[in-house]
């Protein structure tokens, strides 16, 4: 009987909850049609229409070192690359398939180069591995919820041996566990309908992974998708619950807690525009200013943020994404102490913005200018040891005068005579509490 070892779990996930900020990378053959990674399913594209992309794929500009530098400059501490997405195309030199990057004109093991480059920049490395596989002959086709040929009557009576597919899935995951050094995160995607948990032979899979990579962190999608939390939020998580909940394209309103009210480790994954995989037409990018605020929101609610980039068919991260990463990095250069190792503050969200906390230090994130002074609700004056503007380290005076005397239970600080915030995106005030 599996017993969830909470102490060992907390130790294992500590680097992850310290890191708070990562890069998601969705890349593969779908970058050529450039209509997102679900193009085969959405357009019910037959294999023969997709194979030209396999024969053509040659990302001549692929430079994972440049990707890693961009992630590091943005303040990201880890990354997750699609080793295999739903289309079944493998970005690594698997011996179990010919449908892999080393058999395309590019001839490269893209995963290995990514891992080497991101480790060299000091980032933790993760691999996304799709449980779905629209290329494998033994994955369900007709009648499946997502397969490109789900409605093709010609597929109706074609025999499929799902056990063969599971053997393939487990063998490939073991390749990734044993041929590429220490992997820090396995990001599976996704369970649906009856395909959940033991339908994937999840216990056997997780035991194999953890036998090779005892410290690896696994997401919760052997049980659910971006919808649902899985057994990690219950009193008795399953052996394949995973180590974090993975809300997708949303930040949970109140963070995530388990049945006992304990904060649960979670990571929100979001796109920069509206597609995971490259989409030439999708120019609806979130700004750096917005992503800074969303990162602060995640951390203030006890979570991580995984921001996606979708490199193009040449292997280039879109210029818009690089510019956004630079903007986020400029803010992180000055304020990352209010992100790394921070989390829930235990205080209500203030009107002016948000609060993150690390031990006896509170970070007030002022996102809206205040009239005269900045209130620090929930912080009694006699508990304050020091107040500093993170941007410069300057002392901020705690003030009380006829303007504030009506609110003796609230501490106020002055940012000076200028009504504009020192950083209009998010001005961070460090409040160190007395022991
Ligand atoms: C959804 C999409 C998948 C994407 C994932 C990222 O599961 O189906 O394409 O990789 O979200 O979380």
């Amino acid at each position: 009987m599996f017993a969830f070892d909470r102490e060992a779990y907390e130790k294992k996930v500590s680097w992850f909850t310290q890191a708070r900020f990562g890069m998601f990378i969705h890349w593969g053959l779908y970058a050529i049609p450039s209509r997102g990674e679900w193009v085969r399913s959405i357009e019910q594209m037959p294999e023969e229409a997709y194979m030209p992309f396999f024969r053509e794929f040659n990302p001549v500009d692929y430079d994972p070192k440049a990707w890693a530098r961009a992630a590091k400059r943005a303040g990201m501490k880890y990354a997750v690359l699609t080793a295999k997405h739903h289309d079944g195309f493998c970005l690594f030199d698997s011996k179990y398939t010919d449908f892999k990057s080393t058999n395309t004109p590019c001839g490269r093991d893209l995963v290995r180069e990514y891992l080497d480059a991101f480790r060299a920049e000091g980032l933790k490395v993760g691999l996304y591995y799709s449980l779905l596989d629209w290329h494998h002959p033994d994955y369900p086709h007709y009648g499946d919820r997502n397969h490109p040929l789900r409605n093709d009557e010609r597929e109706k009576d074609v025999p499929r041996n799902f056990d063969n597919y599971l053997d393939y899935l487990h063998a490939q995951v073991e390749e990734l566990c044993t041929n590429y050094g220490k992997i820090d995160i396995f990001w599976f995607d996704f369970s649906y309908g009856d395909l959940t948990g033991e339908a994937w032979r999840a216990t056997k899979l997780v035991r194999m992974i953890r036998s090779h990579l005892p410290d690896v962190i696994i997401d919760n999608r052997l049980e659910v998708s971006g919808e649902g939390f899985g057994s990690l939020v219950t009193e008795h998580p399953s052996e394949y619950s995973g180590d974090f909940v993975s809300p997708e394209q949303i930040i949970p309103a109140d963070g995530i807690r388990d049945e006992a009210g304990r904060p649960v480790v979670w990571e929100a994954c979001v796109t920069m525009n509206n597609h995971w995989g490259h989409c030439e037409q999708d120019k609806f990018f979130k700004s750096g200013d917005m992503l800074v605020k969303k990162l602060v929101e995640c951390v203030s609610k006890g979570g991580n943020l995984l921001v996606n980039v979708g490199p193009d068919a040449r292997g280039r991260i879109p210029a818009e994404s690089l510019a956004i990463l630079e903007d986020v990095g400029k803010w992180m250069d000055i304020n990352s102490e209010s992100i790394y190792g921070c989390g829930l503050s235990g205080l209500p969200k203030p009107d002016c913005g948000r609060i993150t906390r690390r031990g006896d230090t509170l970070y007030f994130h002022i996102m809206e200018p205040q009239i005269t002074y900045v209130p620090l609700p929930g912080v009694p004056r006699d508990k304050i040891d020091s107040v500093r503007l993170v941007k410069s380290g300057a002392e901020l005076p705690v003030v009380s005068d006829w303007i504030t005397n009506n609110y003796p239970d609230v501490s106020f600080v002055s940012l000076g005579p200028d009504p504009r915030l020192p950083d209009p995106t998010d001005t961070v005030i460090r409040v160190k509490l007395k022991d």
Side-chain angles (χ1 to χ4, degrees), residues 24 26 30 37-38 82 85-86 128 132 134 187 189-190 221 225-226 246-249 269-270 276-277 306 308:
F24 216 169
H26 277 71
Y30 43 76
E37 74 292 351
W38 272 70
T82 52
H85 205 269
H86 307 338
Y128 166 113
L132 290 65
W134 300 330
W187 217 104
D189 189 37
F190 59 93
R221 296 193 180 189
S225 60
S246 57
E248 180 178 326
Q249 302 289 41
C269 55
V270 303
W276 300 100
L306 188 66
N308 182 74

